[in-house]
């Protein structure tokens, strides 16, 4: 496979607020030296607890917010500081599916107009000419033709997410970033939407970055997985390798918390000690050492490098061999 996206040493800081109207002197360390690649045709899963920087990273990749430092390369082109008038082409190839479809759809537009709008914005055809193509894409996403003239409020949450996926798919993008796309859905609908993502990937040869805090979802949908904690990458591995043999203690703890279908099955649960540290003042050394059951003095004193070995990467001084 060829590299579609390359992220190099991305750092993102936000000003820390001390009150409602004023900013404080500190900063929130949202992302800290994040680097990885995404290959053509793969589904890369991003997983970690809330606040680990997954969504911030996704918005930076899509150029919805700027990074503090670092580089973003899309198909070899540096798009980190690309001017707004040159971003149109990139936005056509990088599309976003948000967690809340209700908030991402215009309540005053019929869904067929919502999906046809990108064709008009990018000058591909007239508003009238885009309608048949919008109807076709909506049909592929599971929305019947007789319903395309309705408004978003007339659909269930699951149906609205299908509409949001159709809109993201409209311009035949090369990369779709799905940020917790099933988190707001009923469990009974989640599997349908996940299967839809899989079907569309095969049909359109798509590449996904799929974000979730649910390791079961990531296991089902992803080819390769990145585990994040406090804005840093803890481990990167192929799906099967990660779940069969985690190397980082944080990954091990996350996987131990996945429920098993049979309550009679014995499973060792690793309970992380303490709370997640604040992001205004990160722990010294390894950011995970304050909660790690295996931590030693070296973990307190030295920041572990992201080490690559046997096709996987991990940031740990004492990996679980």
């Amino acid at each position: 496979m060829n590299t579609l996206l390359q992220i190099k040493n991305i750092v993102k800081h936000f000003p820390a607020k001390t009150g409602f109207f004023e900013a404080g002197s500190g900063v929130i360390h949202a992302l800290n030296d994040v680097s990885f690649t995404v290959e053509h045709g793969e589904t890369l899963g991003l997983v970690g607890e809330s606040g680990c920087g997954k969504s911030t990273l996704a918005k930076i990749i899509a150029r919805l917010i700027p990074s503090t430092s670092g580089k973003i390369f899309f198909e070899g082109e540096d798009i980190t500081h690309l001017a707004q008038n040159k971003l149109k082409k990139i936005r056509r190839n990088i599309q976003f599916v948000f967690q809340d479809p209700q908030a991402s759809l215009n309540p005053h537009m019929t869904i067929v107009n919502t999906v046809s709008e990108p064709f008009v914005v990018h000058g591909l055809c007239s508003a009238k000419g885009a309608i048949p193509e919008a109807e076709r894409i909506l049909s592929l996403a599971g929305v019947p033709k007789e319903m395309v003239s309705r408004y978003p409020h007339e659909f269930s949450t699951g149906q609205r997410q299908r509409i949001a996926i159709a809109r993201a798919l409209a311009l035949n993008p090369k990369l779709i970033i799905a940020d917790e796309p099933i988190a707001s859905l009923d469990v009974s609908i989640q599997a349908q939407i996940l299967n839809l993502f899989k079907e569309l990937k095969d049909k359109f040869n798509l590449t996904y970055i799929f974000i979730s805090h649910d390791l079961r979802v990531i296991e089902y949908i992803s080819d390769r997985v990145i585990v994040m904690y406090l804005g840093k990458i803890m481990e990167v591995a192929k799906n099967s390798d990660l779940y069969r043999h985690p190397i980082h203690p944080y990954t091990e703890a996350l996987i131990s918390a996945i429920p098993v279908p049979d309550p009679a099955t014995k499973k060792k649960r690793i309970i992380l000690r303490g709370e997640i540290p604040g992001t205004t003042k990160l722990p010294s050394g390894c950011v995970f050492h304050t909660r790690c059951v295996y931590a030693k003095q070296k973990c307190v004193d030295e920041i572990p490098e992201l080490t690559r070995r046997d096709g996987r990467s991990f940031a740990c001084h004492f990996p679980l061999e």
Side-chain angles (χ1 to χ4, degrees), residues 7-255:
I7 304 300
K8 297 184 70 174
N9 310 112
I10 288 293
V11 172
K12 179 61 179 177
H13 295 159
F14 293 100
K17 292 185 177 181
T18 56
F20 189 77
F21 294 105
E22 56 183 314
S25 57
V27 295
I28 295 171
H29 301 268
L31 293 170
N32 303 285
D33 197 24
V34 174
S35 299
F36 62 91
T37 59
V38 183
E39 305 302 316
H40 275 280
E42 81 166 333
T43 298
L44 179 70
L46 278 181
V47 69
E49 294 171 277
S50 296
C52 72
K54 305 185 300 294
S55 295
T56 299
L57 179 58
K59 290 173 184 175
I60 287 173
I61 293 170
R63 286 292 314 273
L64 299 179
I65 60 173
S67 61
T68 302
S69 63
K71 297 285 187 180
I72 307 166
F73 295 90
F74 186 77
E75 294 191 311
E77 179 185 1
D78 186 352
I79 66 168
T80 317
H81 304 293
L82 210 60
Q84 287 296 322
N85 61 344
K86 294 182 179 179
L87 272 177
K88 197 171 185 180
K89 178 183 175 183
I90 299 299
R91 293 257 164 81
R92 178 175 174 178
N93 284 313
I94 303 177
Q95 290 291 309
F96 220 109
V97 177
F98 296 93
Q99 176 177 337
D100 182 6
Q102 177 68 22
S104 66
L105 297 174
N106 188 334
H108 304 295
M109 293 178 66
T110 63
I111 64 165
V112 72
N113 287 336
T114 294
V115 176
S116 64
E117 185 181 36
F119 293 98
V120 180
V121 169
H122 287 269
L124 300 179
C125 55
S126 66
K128 184 177 180 181
I131 295 298
E133 186 63 15
E135 290 177 345
R136 182 185 73 84
I137 294 168
L138 282 164
S139 177
L140 289 172
V143 182
K145 186 175 180 179
E146 59 270 18
M147 301 174 72
V148 299
S149 296
R150 298 181 184 179
Y151 291 86
H153 72 271
E154 298 180 77
F155 294 87
S156 67
T157 306
Q159 289 172 320
R160 283 195 290 265
Q161 195 59 288
R162 289 178 181 273
I163 297 162
I165 292 169
R167 183 182 58 185
L169 192 65
L171 297 174
N172 195 22
K174 295 179 180 179
L175 174 66
I176 290 181
I177 303 172
D179 187 4
E180 299 274 11
I182 66 168
S184 62
L185 306 180
D186 292 339
V187 175
S188 59
I189 306 299
Q190 289 182 356
Q192 296 178 23
I193 299 300
L194 287 175
N195 288 333
L196 176 63
F197 272 107
K198 283 195 165 191
E199 291 167 11
L200 293 175
K201 179 189 174 184
D202 294 338
K203 189 180 292 289
F204 292 93
N205 192 29
L206 295 168
T207 303
Y208 291 142
I209 295 177
F210 204 96
I211 299 170
S212 180
H213 64 275
D214 190 333
L215 270 81
R216 295 171 302 175
V217 170
I218 293 297
E219 182 179 17
Y220 180 73
I221 197 77
S222 302
D223 302 310
R224 197 160 52 98
V225 183
I226 292 177
V227 180
M228 295 185 65
Y229 180 80
L230 278 183
K232 292 186 75 71
I233 291 177
M234 298 289 102
E235 186 168 356
V236 186
K238 291 181 180 179
N239 188 320
S240 56
D241 293 339
L242 187 91
Y243 286 87
R244 185 178 67 250
H245 177 50
I247 285 182
H248 199 285
Y250 179 58
T251 310
E252 180 191 42
L254 289 180
I255 291 175

